[in-house]
Amino acid sequence: MTSSLYDQTATAAAASVIRAYSTSFGLATRLLGPRVRGHVRSVYALVRVADEIVDGAAAAAGLPLAAQRDTLDALERETLGAMASGFSANLVVHAFAQVARECGIHADLVEPFFASMRTDLETTAHDSASHDAYVYGSAEVVGLMCLQVFVNAGRPDAPVQASPALVAGARRLGAAFQDINFLRDLADDAERLGRDYLGADRPSSRTAVLDRIDADLDAAALTVADLPADCRSAVTAAHDLFAELARRLRSSDGTGARVRVPDPVKAAIAARAAAGARPRRRNA
């Protein structure tokens, strides 16, 4: 696909969103090959903008709940329209749409994502079923979007679907990432947003969540070797960064400061992944 100046500008705008928001994600994406790096940043930029509508920036600007919902609905319509037409005046949406059209990302992944974002405006406490539905739309489908990029970016022919094993791995990795973030943000979600995604304030529940996270991370780790070569190091780094967070969460009671991975440890994880190491497995 030949990029116009507008396409290039949109891709650069999407990359700037990610640089501003996530040092860990930025570190992992730097390990992606150039074939896919900009595409993945474009996917995550749209995710980040939608998340801000429901998690902070829109409310901070004074938008009432109904206006936040209308704004999210408008972003979904704009995204689906751009995927069909190939153009949006919103640079982040345009960048995403170009990636979606090239890599075979369709409405069946985009609509569940926006449905989960909409849930944040409607639901404050989740049970097991609503948790699973939310995680699928907010995280697993994002992993599946990235997987479509991994197998299709730069492909001269029509996009293809990834293998069932890679699909399962992407879903489980996305679920693990989301549950780790739920545990890290438990206090903020409850106090600032009034949300309970896990019901994990009891020690037994917290342990069960961490056990599920470790199982998901271990299962996802087994599929990394089947990814295209220019994606493996980045996915390994992301996997191992979150595995380190999970390890540190086990040592925390959840009442102190937000659990983080120190920069030197992040750098060591990235260097290990860049050297071609396989993802670490807790239960290997």
Side-chain angles (χ1 to χ4, degrees), residues 14-32:
S16 71
V17 172
I18 295 308
R19 282 195 299 271
Y21 271 94
S22 177
T23 56
S24 296
F25 179 74
L27 178 66
T29 58
R30 285 196 291 275
L31 296 177
L32 288 168

Side-chain angles (χ1 to χ4, degrees), residues 225-276:
D226 294 328
L227 291 170
D230 59 353
C231 306
R232 293 173 200 153
S233 292
V235 176
T236 296
H239 173 282
D240 287 1
L241 281 167
F242 276 83
E244 178 64 17
L245 283 168
R247 186 187 71 80
R248 290 170 181 265
L249 282 163
R250 279 193 183 273
S251 302
S252 165
D253 62 6
T255 60
R258 189 174 193 257
V259 171
R260 298 181 183 276
V261 177
D263 288 344
V265 178
K266 287 182 183 178
I269 289 170
R272 178 181 176 276

Side-chain angles (χ1 to χ4, degrees), residues 173-188:
L173 191 60
F177 288 179
Q178 186 66 290
D179 277 341
I180 288 168
N181 281 331
F182 287 157
L183 284 176
R184 293 177 75 199
D185 296 332
L186 203 63
D188 183 63

Side-chain angles (χ1 to χ4, degrees), residues 75-154:
L75 181 62
E76 181 179 16
R77 289 193 300 272
E78 180 72 18
T79 301
L80 293 172
M83 290 165 62
S85 70
F87 177 81
S88 173
N90 179 320
L91 287 172
V92 169
V93 172
H94 183 84
F96 175 85
Q98 296 305 300
V99 171
R101 287 163 65 88
E102 177 185 345
C103 298
I105 298 171
H106 302 301
D108 64 335
L109 296 181
V110 173
E111 290 173 346
F113 168 72
F114 279 99
S116 282
M117 295 299 96
R118 200 170 289 110
T119 298
D120 277 334
L121 301 175
E122 301 165 352
T123 302
T124 56
H126 288 268
D127 58 20
S128 177
S130 66
H131 163 273
D132 290 351
Y134 181 88
V135 168
Y136 175 73
S138 64
E140 293 179 34
V141 299
V142 178
L144 294 175
M145 291 178 195
C146 291
L147 182 59
Q148 284 298 104
V149 169
F150 294 163
V151 300
N152 289 302

Side-chain angles (χ1 to χ4, degrees), residues 43-73:
V43 169
Y44 272 89
L46 179 68
V47 169
R48 187 70 257 172
V49 170
D51 194 59
E52 282 294 347
I53 294 172
V54 300
D55 272 1
L63 270 66
L65 192 63
Q68 294 173 45
R69 187 179 295 108
D70 290 345
T71 302
L72 185 66
D73 291 347

